[in-house]
Amino acid sequence: MSAATTLHTSDAFVLRTYPYGEAHKVVVLFTRSGGLVRAVAYGAQSKRQKYGAALELFSEVSVVYRERQGQELVSLVACDVKRLHFAATSDPVLMAMLAYWAELTSELFPAHQANDPVYRLLAAACDLADRHAQTPRPETPDALMVYVETWLLRLAGFLPDWKHCARCGVDLLSTPAARLSADGTPGCTTCLAYGRDISLPARRAYAAIQRQSPGDFWHHAPAADTLAELAALNGQLVCLALERPPKSRAVWQQLRDGMASVT
């Protein structure tokens, strides 16, 4: 092996795959030791491909990949399944939610920068999605969706400080009225004459998300109207962060609304 080539081993989540030539695929991975990595899986589209279910959405895998200096794509050497999430991915609404998380993760975080909090968040959230799929309940997974979305924004540096007005510093967890400006800045109504109103329950729910585990927040979720408000606020912040509306979020919303209409 040349000095310009490095072999890496890591656990990883599969976020996406797409064709690369006639016989291969590019696999977008979020690795525990190296963050976001785009790897070529040679032969992954051939009849004799060796990967099986390892390249399914949010499969947790153990990978070995070869990185060559100066090249954006790495080469996948080995990919062994550690855990699959068939229960969640067999449910259309949960599948759309996972696809949205994958898009956010691949767009919000830079390549080749390890981020263990993101990895642990995805691991815990996928386990909860599986548990939800295996023990169906009347409620939707909206609280889990909002929790993961909020934390991905926070870990990527795009979540504002909901505790204080960005201009005067007043405590937003006690003042009765607050707003979110068009550029994503939260503030009191004295400082912000225009913007999206943020209810006090929504502001307190943001604070709860940041001190609770995903399971605790889901099991003690705020009211449905508060979750809907958080989803709308997060949608604005995501569009600002990505500079576009994510397609996978619209798919999730459409499927989620369809599910709600038949329950």
Side-chain angles (χ1 to χ4, degrees):
M1 188 180 299
S2 69
T5 302
T6 308
L7 205 61
H8 300 271
T9 301
S10 181
D11 292 339
F13 284 108
V14 176
L15 302 182
R16 183 190 170 197
T17 65
Y18 53 89
Y20 185 72
E22 294 184 359
H24 319 303
K25 286 183 178 181
V26 170
V27 185
V28 182
L29 301 163
F30 194 84
T31 69
R32 189 157 204 165
S33 62
L36 197 67
V37 170
R38 289 174 170 82
V40 179
Y42 290 101
Q45 293 194 100
S46 67
K47 292 181 179 179
R48 297 182 179 180
Q49 64 93 9
K50 60 184 179 181
Y51 297 103
L55 302 186
E56 296 296 323
L57 178 65
F58 269 107
S59 294
E60 188 171 13
V61 293
S62 177
V63 296
V64 179
Y65 61 92
R66 182 177 293 111
E67 182 180 15
R68 189 178 297 276
Q69 186 176 0
Q71 293 186 356
E72 180 182 357
L73 294 175
V74 305
S75 299
L76 196 61
V77 176
C79 183
D80 299 316
V81 173
K82 293 189 65 180
R83 185 166 186 180
L84 301 174
H85 293 287
F86 281 141
T89 55
S90 64
D91 181 297
V93 175
L94 295 176
M95 175 76 163
M97 184 171 69
L98 295 181
Y100 174 53
W101 295 348
E103 182 178 2
L104 270 188
T105 303
S106 62
E107 294 290 337
L108 289 178
F109 298 95
H112 303 290
Q113 289 189 20
N115 195 321
D116 196 61
V118 173
Y119 194 92
R120 289 187 283 108
L121 171 68
L122 296 176
C126 285
D127 286 347
L128 285 170
D130 265 344
R131 195 179 309 166
H132 181 76
Q134 292 163 355
T135 56
R137 297 176 296 176
E139 65 267 26
T140 68
D142 291 1
L144 181 60
M145 173 68 160
V146 165
Y147 184 97
V148 173
E149 191 176 44
T150 301
W151 265 102
L152 288 175
L153 285 166
R154 177 179 174 178
L155 292 170
F158 292 104
L159 188 72
D161 178 8
W162 295 101
K163 295 180 180 179
H164 302 96
C165 174
R167 297 186 181 178
C168 71
V170 69
D171 182 2
L172 293 182
L173 297 183
S174 59
T175 187
R179 293 193 176 106
L180 184 71
S181 69
D183 66 359
T185 302
C188 65
T189 52
T190 301
C191 294
L192 293 181
Y194 304 99
R196 182 193 294 271
D197 290 338
I198 314 169
S199 71
L200 185 56
R203 283 172 268 148
R204 289 177 174 171
Y206 270 123
I209 286 173
Q210 294 177 72
R211 67 172 182 266
Q212 293 178 342
S213 70
D216 286 344
F217 180 77
W218 196 5
H219 297 321
H220 302 92
D225 58 345
T226 299
L227 287 174
E229 184 179 358
L230 293 176
L233 290 164
N234 280 351
Q236 178 178 336
L237 295 171
V238 166
C239 288
L240 287 169
L242 301 184
E243 299 183 346
R244 61 172 176 81
K247 294 180 180 179
S248 56
R249 196 178 199 273
V251 173
W252 143 262
Q253 190 65 57
Q254 183 179 14
L255 290 171
R256 181 252 176 267
D257 291 347
M259 180 189 72
S261 68
V262 299
T263 56

